[in-house]
Amino acid sequence: MNLKRIAVIGAGTMGRGIAQVLAQASREVLLYDADPRAREQGLASIAARLRQQAAKGRLEPAASEAAIAALQDIDQLADIDTADMVVEAVPERLDLKLAVFAQLGQFAGPKAILASNTSGLDIDALAAESGRPDKVIGMHFFNPPPTMPLVEIVRATETSDQTFAAVMALAQDLDKTPVAVANSPGFAVNRILFPMINEAIYALAEGVASAEDIDRVMVLGASHPIGPLALADYVGLDVTLDILESFAQRLDRAKYRPCPLLREMVAQGALGRKTGRGFFSYS
Ligand code: NAD
Protein backbone atom coordinates (compact mmCIF):
# COMPACT_ATOMS: atom_id res chain seq x y z
CA MET A 1 0.00 0.00 0.00
CA ASN A 2 1.47 3.35 -1.03
CA LEU A 3 1.16 5.84 1.83
CA LYS A 4 2.47 8.87 -0.03
CA ARG A 5 0.15 11.64 1.10
CA ILE A 6 -0.50 11.80 4.84
CA ALA A 7 -2.67 14.22 6.83
CA VAL A 8 -1.77 15.06 10.44
CA ILE A 9 -4.65 16.27 12.63
CA GLY A 10 -3.56 18.49 15.52
CA ALA A 11 -0.49 20.73 15.16
CA GLY A 12 0.58 20.72 18.81
CA THR A 13 3.68 19.18 20.39
CA MET A 14 3.23 15.76 18.79
CA GLY A 15 1.49 16.69 15.53
CA ARG A 16 4.35 19.04 14.63
CA GLY A 17 6.96 16.44 15.35
CA ILE A 18 5.12 13.71 13.43
CA ALA A 19 4.57 16.04 10.45
CA GLN A 20 8.31 16.82 10.43
CA VAL A 21 9.28 13.14 10.52
CA LEU A 22 6.88 12.34 7.65
CA ALA A 23 8.10 15.29 5.54
CA GLN A 24 11.73 14.25 6.07
CA ALA A 25 10.78 10.80 4.76
CA SER A 26 9.51 12.32 1.49
CA ARG A 27 5.81 12.13 2.30
CA GLU A 28 3.44 14.91 1.22
CA VAL A 29 2.06 16.20 4.50
CA LEU A 30 -1.23 18.00 5.08
CA LEU A 31 -1.33 19.65 8.52
CA TYR A 32 -4.69 20.52 10.09
CA ASP A 33 -5.54 22.08 13.44
CA ALA A 34 -8.88 23.41 14.65
CA ASP A 35 -6.97 26.47 15.87
CA PRO A 36 -5.60 28.44 12.87
CA ARG A 37 -2.79 29.94 15.02
CA ALA A 38 -1.59 26.47 15.96
CA ARG A 39 -1.49 25.57 12.25
CA GLU A 40 0.59 28.63 11.36
CA GLN A 41 2.87 28.28 14.38
CA GLY A 42 3.19 24.57 13.66
CA LEU A 43 4.42 25.07 10.10
CA ALA A 44 6.72 27.94 11.15
CA SER A 45 8.27 25.95 13.99
CA ILE A 46 8.88 22.87 11.82
CA ALA A 47 10.56 25.04 9.16
CA ALA A 48 12.69 26.76 11.81
CA ARG A 49 13.72 23.39 13.29
CA LEU A 50 14.64 21.94 9.89
CA ARG A 51 16.69 25.02 8.94
CA GLN A 52 18.43 24.90 12.31
CA GLN A 53 19.37 21.26 11.65
CA ALA A 54 20.78 22.31 8.26
CA ALA A 55 22.70 25.22 9.83
CA LYS A 56 24.27 22.81 12.33
CA GLY A 57 25.30 20.50 9.49
CA ARG A 58 23.03 17.66 10.66
CA LEU A 59 20.92 17.81 7.50
CA GLU A 60 21.71 18.71 3.89
CA PRO A 61 20.24 22.18 3.16
CA ALA A 62 18.51 20.73 0.07
CA ALA A 63 16.91 17.98 2.20
CA SER A 64 15.75 20.53 4.73
CA GLU A 65 14.16 22.72 2.01
CA ALA A 66 12.57 19.66 0.34
CA ALA A 67 10.97 18.66 3.65
CA ILE A 68 9.66 22.20 4.18
CA ALA A 69 8.22 22.19 0.64
CA ALA A 70 6.47 18.86 1.35
CA LEU A 71 4.43 20.45 4.17
CA GLN A 72 1.15 22.18 3.56
CA ASP A 73 -1.50 23.39 5.97
CA ILE A 74 -5.19 22.85 5.29
CA ASP A 75 -7.90 25.05 6.78
CA GLN A 76 -10.76 22.58 6.66
CA LEU A 77 -10.91 18.96 7.61
CA ALA A 78 -12.75 18.10 4.38
CA ASP A 79 -9.42 18.68 2.57
CA ILE A 80 -8.08 15.36 3.90
CA ASP A 81 -10.07 13.61 1.16
CA THR A 82 -6.95 13.17 -1.02
CA ALA A 83 -4.81 11.64 1.76
CA ASP A 84 -3.78 7.94 1.78
CA MET A 85 -3.55 8.04 5.56
CA VAL A 86 -4.46 10.29 8.49
CA VAL A 87 -2.56 10.50 11.80
CA GLU A 88 -4.63 12.00 14.61
CA ALA A 89 -2.78 13.93 17.36
CA VAL A 90 -5.46 15.96 19.16
CA PRO A 91 -5.48 16.18 23.00
CA GLU A 92 -5.89 12.98 25.03
CA ARG A 93 -9.64 13.18 25.71
CA LEU A 94 -11.79 10.26 24.65
CA ASP A 95 -14.87 12.38 23.85
CA LEU A 96 -12.79 14.66 21.60
CA LYS A 97 -11.05 11.78 19.82
CA LEU A 98 -14.37 9.97 19.26
CA ALA A 99 -15.80 13.09 17.60
CA VAL A 100 -12.66 13.50 15.46
CA PHE A 101 -12.73 9.84 14.33
CA ALA A 102 -16.38 10.19 13.29
CA GLN A 103 -15.33 13.19 11.15
CA LEU A 104 -12.29 11.41 9.74
CA GLY A 105 -14.54 8.51 8.70
CA GLN A 106 -16.75 10.99 6.92
CA PHE A 107 -14.11 13.09 5.13
CA ALA A 108 -11.18 10.76 4.39
CA GLY A 109 -11.15 8.80 1.12
CA PRO A 110 -12.67 5.31 1.52
CA LYS A 111 -9.29 3.54 1.29
CA ALA A 112 -7.47 5.82 3.73
CA ILE A 113 -5.94 4.39 6.91
CA LEU A 114 -6.80 6.27 10.12
CA ALA A 115 -4.14 6.15 12.86
CA SER A 116 -4.26 7.61 16.36
CA ASN A 117 -1.27 8.84 18.33
CA THR A 118 -3.17 8.32 21.60
CA SER A 119 -0.96 7.52 24.60
CA GLY A 120 -3.31 4.80 25.78
CA LEU A 121 -7.00 5.29 24.96
CA ASP A 122 -9.03 2.40 23.55
CA ILE A 123 -8.39 2.04 19.79
CA ASP A 124 -11.54 -0.15 19.43
CA ALA A 125 -13.68 2.78 20.60
CA LEU A 126 -12.10 5.08 17.97
CA ALA A 127 -12.43 2.39 15.29
CA ALA A 128 -16.16 1.98 15.99
CA GLU A 129 -16.75 5.73 15.47
CA SER A 130 -14.89 5.79 12.16
CA GLY A 131 -17.21 3.45 10.26
CA ARG A 132 -14.11 1.64 8.85
CA PRO A 133 -12.68 -0.35 11.79
CA ASP A 134 -10.45 -2.50 9.54
CA LYS A 135 -8.47 0.65 8.62
CA VAL A 136 -7.99 2.02 12.15
CA ILE A 137 -4.80 1.49 14.16
CA GLY A 138 -2.77 3.04 16.97
CA MET A 139 0.56 4.61 15.95
CA HIS A 140 2.09 5.89 19.18
CA PHE A 141 5.10 8.15 18.66
CA PHE A 142 7.19 9.37 21.60
CA ASN A 143 8.20 12.93 22.44
CA PRO A 144 10.04 14.42 20.58
CA PRO A 145 9.07 12.40 17.49
CA PRO A 146 12.10 13.41 15.36
CA THR A 147 14.56 11.90 17.86
CA MET A 148 12.70 9.14 19.73
CA PRO A 149 13.25 5.82 17.93
CA LEU A 150 10.21 3.85 19.15
CA VAL A 151 6.70 3.70 17.69
CA GLU A 152 4.17 1.45 19.43
CA ILE A 153 1.81 -0.07 16.84
CA VAL A 154 -1.55 -0.97 18.33
CA ARG A 155 -3.91 -3.32 16.54
CA ALA A 156 -7.57 -3.04 17.44
CA THR A 157 -9.93 -6.04 17.21
CA GLU A 158 -10.85 -5.43 13.58
CA THR A 159 -7.62 -3.89 12.24
CA SER A 160 -6.85 -5.73 9.00
CA ASP A 161 -3.55 -7.47 8.26
CA GLN A 162 -3.13 -5.09 5.33
CA THR A 163 -3.50 -1.99 7.54
CA PHE A 164 -1.11 -3.42 10.14
CA ALA A 165 1.52 -4.33 7.52
CA ALA A 166 1.28 -0.92 5.83
CA VAL A 167 1.75 0.98 9.10
CA MET A 168 4.62 -1.26 10.28
CA ALA A 169 6.33 -0.64 6.92
CA LEU A 170 5.71 3.11 7.17
CA ALA A 171 7.26 3.28 10.66
CA GLN A 172 10.35 1.45 9.37
CA ASP A 173 10.55 3.80 6.42
CA LEU A 174 10.54 6.71 8.91
CA ASP A 175 13.65 5.13 10.44
CA LYS A 176 11.76 4.17 13.58
CA THR A 177 11.54 0.86 15.39
CA PRO A 178 7.90 -0.25 15.40
CA VAL A 179 6.83 -2.63 18.16
CA ALA A 180 3.38 -4.22 18.08
CA VAL A 181 1.58 -4.06 21.42
CA ALA A 182 -1.92 -4.97 22.59
CA ASN A 183 -4.76 -2.50 22.77
CA SER A 184 -4.75 -2.15 26.56
CA PRO A 185 -4.56 0.95 28.82
CA GLY A 186 -1.27 2.81 28.35
CA PHE A 187 -0.06 0.14 25.88
CA ALA A 188 3.39 -1.11 27.02
CA VAL A 189 5.64 1.89 27.70
CA ASN A 190 3.24 4.03 29.74
CA ARG A 191 1.79 1.00 31.55
CA ILE A 192 5.28 0.35 32.94
CA LEU A 193 6.57 3.93 33.19
CA PHE A 194 3.76 5.66 35.09
CA PRO A 195 3.47 3.18 37.99
CA MET A 196 7.24 3.64 38.40
CA ILE A 197 6.85 7.43 38.52
CA ASN A 198 4.00 6.99 41.05
CA GLU A 199 6.24 4.77 43.19
CA ALA A 200 8.98 7.41 43.10
CA ILE A 201 6.45 9.97 44.39
CA TYR A 202 5.42 7.58 47.18
CA ALA A 203 9.11 7.13 48.07
CA LEU A 204 9.50 10.92 48.28
CA ALA A 205 6.31 11.31 50.35
CA GLU A 206 7.45 8.57 52.76
CA GLY A 207 10.88 10.14 53.25
CA VAL A 208 12.89 7.36 51.60
CA ALA A 209 15.14 10.02 50.02
CA SER A 210 15.00 13.61 48.75
CA ALA A 211 13.73 14.36 45.22
CA GLU A 212 17.30 14.98 44.06
CA ASP A 213 18.47 11.68 45.54
CA ILE A 214 15.55 9.62 44.20
CA ASP A 215 16.42 10.81 40.71
CA ARG A 216 20.15 10.37 41.34
CA VAL A 217 19.81 6.73 42.41
CA MET A 218 17.67 5.87 39.39
CA VAL A 219 20.16 7.51 37.02
CA LEU A 220 23.25 6.00 38.67
CA GLY A 221 21.80 2.72 39.94
CA ALA A 222 19.30 1.78 37.26
CA SER A 223 20.99 3.52 34.29
CA HIS A 224 17.91 5.62 33.51
CA PRO A 225 18.79 8.63 31.34
CA ILE A 226 16.58 10.90 33.49
CA GLY A 227 15.18 10.43 37.00
CA PRO A 228 11.46 9.59 37.43
CA LEU A 229 10.62 12.88 39.20
CA ALA A 230 12.34 15.04 36.57
CA LEU A 231 10.50 12.97 33.96
CA ALA A 232 7.15 13.63 35.70
CA ASP A 233 7.96 17.37 35.66
CA TYR A 234 8.70 17.11 31.92
CA VAL A 235 5.47 15.23 31.14
CA GLY A 236 3.41 17.52 33.42
CA LEU A 237 2.04 16.49 36.82
CA ASP A 238 -1.56 17.03 35.67
CA VAL A 239 -1.02 14.70 32.70
CA THR A 240 0.71 12.18 35.01
CA LEU A 241 -2.28 12.28 37.39
CA ASP A 242 -4.77 11.83 34.50
CA ILE A 243 -2.89 8.82 33.17
CA LEU A 244 -2.69 7.12 36.59
CA GLU A 245 -6.37 7.82 37.24
CA SER A 246 -7.36 6.30 33.92
CA PHE A 247 -5.27 3.17 34.69
CA ALA A 248 -6.87 2.87 38.15
CA GLN A 249 -10.30 3.18 36.55
CA ARG A 250 -9.83 0.95 33.52
CA LEU A 251 -7.60 -1.70 35.10
CA ASP A 252 -9.46 -1.55 38.40
CA ARG A 253 -6.36 -2.18 40.46
CA ALA A 254 -5.29 -0.36 43.62
CA LYS A 255 -1.66 -0.39 42.56
CA TYR A 256 -2.29 2.38 40.04
CA ARG A 257 -3.92 4.70 42.62
CA PRO A 258 -2.13 8.09 42.35
CA CYS A 259 -0.01 9.09 45.36
CA PRO A 260 -1.79 11.76 47.48
CA LEU A 261 1.30 14.01 47.16
CA LEU A 262 0.79 14.08 43.37
CA ARG A 263 -2.84 15.15 43.85
CA GLU A 264 -1.81 17.89 46.31
CA MET A 265 0.80 19.28 43.94
CA VAL A 266 -1.66 19.37 41.02
CA ALA A 267 -4.27 21.08 43.23
CA GLN A 268 -1.65 23.71 44.14
CA GLY A 269 -0.87 24.34 40.47
CA ALA A 270 2.64 22.86 40.68
CA LEU A 271 2.47 21.07 37.34
CA GLY A 272 6.17 20.69 36.54
CA ARG A 273 8.20 22.50 33.90
CA LYS A 274 5.24 24.25 32.32
CA THR A 275 4.45 26.15 35.56
CA GLY A 276 8.10 26.55 36.62
CA ARG A 277 7.61 24.33 39.67
CA GLY A 278 7.08 20.63 40.23
CA PHE A 279 9.40 18.28 42.09
CA PHE A 280 12.13 20.68 40.98
CA SER A 281 12.15 24.42 40.20
CA TYR A 282 12.62 25.82 36.71
CA SER A 283 13.35 29.45 35.92
P1 NAD B 1 -1.14 19.44 22.27
O1 NAD B 1 -2.14 20.01 23.22
O2 NAD B 1 0.26 19.98 22.26
O3 NAD B 1 -1.70 19.58 20.77
C1 NAD B 1 -2.99 19.22 20.40
C2 NAD B 1 -3.44 20.10 19.23
O4 NAD B 1 -4.71 19.61 18.78
C3 NAD B 1 -3.64 21.58 19.61
O5 NAD B 1 -2.89 22.39 18.72
C4 NAD B 1 -5.15 21.80 19.42
O6 NAD B 1 -5.48 23.10 18.93
C5 NAD B 1 -5.51 20.73 18.41
N1 NAD B 1 -6.91 20.34 18.41
C6 NAD B 1 -7.77 20.29 19.46
N2 NAD B 1 -8.97 19.84 19.04
C7 NAD B 1 -8.88 19.63 17.70
C8 NAD B 1 -9.77 19.17 16.70
N3 NAD B 1 -11.02 18.84 17.00
N4 NAD B 1 -9.32 19.06 15.43
C9 NAD B 1 -8.05 19.40 15.12
N5 NAD B 1 -7.15 19.84 16.03
C10 NAD B 1 -7.56 19.94 17.30
O7 NAD B 1 -1.15 17.86 22.55
P2 NAD B 1 0.05 16.82 22.33
O8 NAD B 1 0.93 16.81 23.53
O9 NAD B 1 0.63 17.04 20.98
O10 NAD B 1 -0.75 15.44 22.38
C11 NAD B 1 -1.47 14.96 21.26
C12 NAD B 1 -1.67 13.47 21.38
O11 NAD B 1 -0.39 12.83 21.45
C13 NAD B 1 -2.40 13.02 22.66
O12 NAD B 1 -3.21 11.92 22.36
C14 NAD B 1 -1.26 12.63 23.60
O13 NAD B 1 -1.66 11.68 24.57
C15 NAD B 1 -0.30 12.02 22.61
N6 NAD B 1 1.10 11.97 23.05
C16 NAD B 1 1.65 13.05 23.67
C17 NAD B 1 2.98 13.00 24.07
C18 NAD B 1 3.64 14.18 24.75
O14 NAD B 1 4.69 13.99 25.39
N7 NAD B 1 3.09 15.40 24.62
C19 NAD B 1 3.75 11.84 23.81
C20 NAD B 1 3.16 10.76 23.13
C21 NAD B 1 1.82 10.85 22.75
Side-chain angles (χ1 to χ4, degrees), residues 10 12-14 32-34 38 89-92 97 117 119 140-141 143:
T13 308
M14 294 304 288
Y32 174 78
D33 197 291
V90 306
E92 188 81 344
K97 289 197 192 272
N117 185 52
S119 301
H140 184 207
F141 289 84
N143 189 15

Side-chain angles (χ1 to χ4, degrees), residues 92-100 121:
E92 188 81 344
R93 292 200 339 254
L94 184 61
D95 57 339
L96 175 63
K97 289 197 192 272
L98 290 175
V100 167
L121 296 175

